[in-house]
Amino acid sequence: MKTIYNSIREEVVKHSKVKNSVLGNVSEWKRSHYIILSEIIKEELSEAEELKGGKKFEIGSTISHVTLQRFFENDYQDKTHNDLRFLKTLDKICIFLGYKDLNAYIQFVKEKKQDNEKSNNEKFMHMVYDYCATVFEFYKEFPNHKTELFKDLVFDESPFLERASHFSKELCDRKFQLVTKNNRSNYEVFDINIVTDEPDKKSWNHRNSGISYLKSENPVKNIL
């Protein structure tokens, strides 16, 4: 609930009626600013479809500037902010934001989070696939050592690029070549296992098919 509480506060600040008022030009709100906010919310709620009927008498259509000031300036506390009266205040704020009520807003945040996670997973999979596909193209250039193919995927002079470059350079010096003749597929990625999943660091293990084998001019040295 704390996350929802903070999210609602951010949404109120970003509301067009708030941003386009004097409040949008003030970095720190004082008592007078909460009075203005109270009037803005009152005006919006007076026209809200959700409050046309019995619900208006159930939860009211105004929020005092004192309540708003507490809402914005006090840290979230389970005991205080799970009180029925305060939940009704959140209902009204959510209606002001364009939602049916607090529950509708919670559902919206939940679905948005799921969509973001799905989008991030898709981006991650594309990143993995692009990297693996580039490795395949890199192998196809052997014995030419074209590490510039990785310039858009890894940092210059990174330890990862240094290790990959050192190993692949040895293969190129031995004149290894990628053999794809009569391959049924050129490239495929499968069995990806995420090892690390952090905001600034992701790593994975994977296997790929479609690379038949590397061969060298030296028949003793073959890599499957």
Side-chain angles (χ1 to χ4, degrees):
M1 191 63 185
K2 182 178 181 179
T3 302
I4 295 295
Y5 179 83
N6 292 330
S7 177
I8 291 174
R9 290 198 293 195
E10 293 173 4
E11 290 293 327
V12 170
V13 174
K14 293 188 294 185
H15 192 282
S16 59
K17 288 292 180 71
V18 176
K19 287 181 65 176
N20 294 327
S21 71
V22 65
L23 303 179
N25 299 316
V26 180
S27 58
E28 185 178 354
W29 292 350
K30 303 295 185 181
R31 178 178 177 275
S32 59
H33 298 114
Y34 289 108
I35 293 175
I36 296 173
L37 179 60
S38 176
E39 290 299 316
I40 292 174
I41 293 177
K42 176 184 177 181
E43 182 179 349
E44 286 294 297
L45 292 182
S46 67
E47 301 177 359
E49 289 291 332
E50 289 77 9
L51 291 180
K52 290 181 179 179
K55 193 164 185 177
K56 178 178 180 180
F57 299 100
E58 178 186 344
I59 67 173
S61 58
T62 62
I63 306 175
S64 73
H65 71 275
V66 175
T67 299
L68 289 170
Q69 189 164 1
R70 286 202 212 102
F71 174 65
F72 276 90
E73 294 183 354
N74 295 349
D75 291 331
Y76 178 84
Q77 296 176 359
D78 288 331
K79 183 176 181 180
T80 302
H81 297 108
N82 281 324
D83 178 84
L84 180 59
R85 288 173 298 177
F86 191 76
L87 292 177
K88 289 183 178 181
T89 295
L90 293 183
D91 264 336
K92 287 183 282 188
I93 294 177
C94 288
I95 292 172
F96 165 71
L97 294 175
Y99 302 90
K100 182 180 178 180
D101 52 24
L102 174 60
N103 288 333
Y105 181 78
I106 293 174
Q107 183 63 28
F108 166 78
V109 171
K110 181 180 178 181
E111 291 176 355
K112 183 179 179 181
K113 181 180 179 181
Q114 291 173 343
D115 290 342
N116 288 338
E117 289 176 351
K118 181 180 179 181
S119 176
N120 289 335
N121 288 337
E122 290 175 351
K123 289 178 181 178
F124 175 68
M125 294 306 298
H126 277 299
M127 180 176 68
V128 172
Y129 185 87
D130 289 344
Y131 166 74
C132 295
T134 301
V135 171
F136 185 50
E137 294 301 317
F138 178 64
Y139 287 162
K140 289 200 299 186
E141 293 291 335
F142 279 15
N144 296 320
H145 194 240
K146 300 183 67 173
T147 55
E148 60 269 23
L149 292 173
F150 295 102
K151 67 179 181 179
D152 294 329
L153 299 173
V154 297
F155 294 109
D156 294 336
E157 300 180 357
S158 64
F160 172 83
L161 183 59
E162 184 178 347
R163 290 194 301 271
S165 177
H166 178 73
F167 173 71
S168 57
K169 186 65 168 62
E170 291 183 357
L171 300 181
C172 288
D173 289 343
R174 295 177 183 174
K175 304 300 181 183
F176 276 75
Q177 291 179 300
L178 181 65
V179 177
T180 58
K181 187 177 180 180
N182 296 325
N183 251 9
R184 292 186 177 181
S185 63
N186 286 327
Y187 184 70
E188 183 179 358
V189 177
F190 57 89
D191 285 354
I192 295 176
N193 297 312
I194 297 178
V195 177
T196 303
D197 187 5
E198 300 174 5
D200 59 348
K201 181 173 64 177
K202 294 182 183 292
S203 61
W204 67 90
N205 290 329
H206 74 279
R207 295 190 295 129
N208 54 13
S209 66
I211 298 178
S212 289
Y213 57 88
L214 294 169
K215 73 173 184 179
S216 171
E217 291 180 350
N218 180 351
V220 178
K221 297 291 185 179
N222 283 317
I223 296 183
L224 296 178

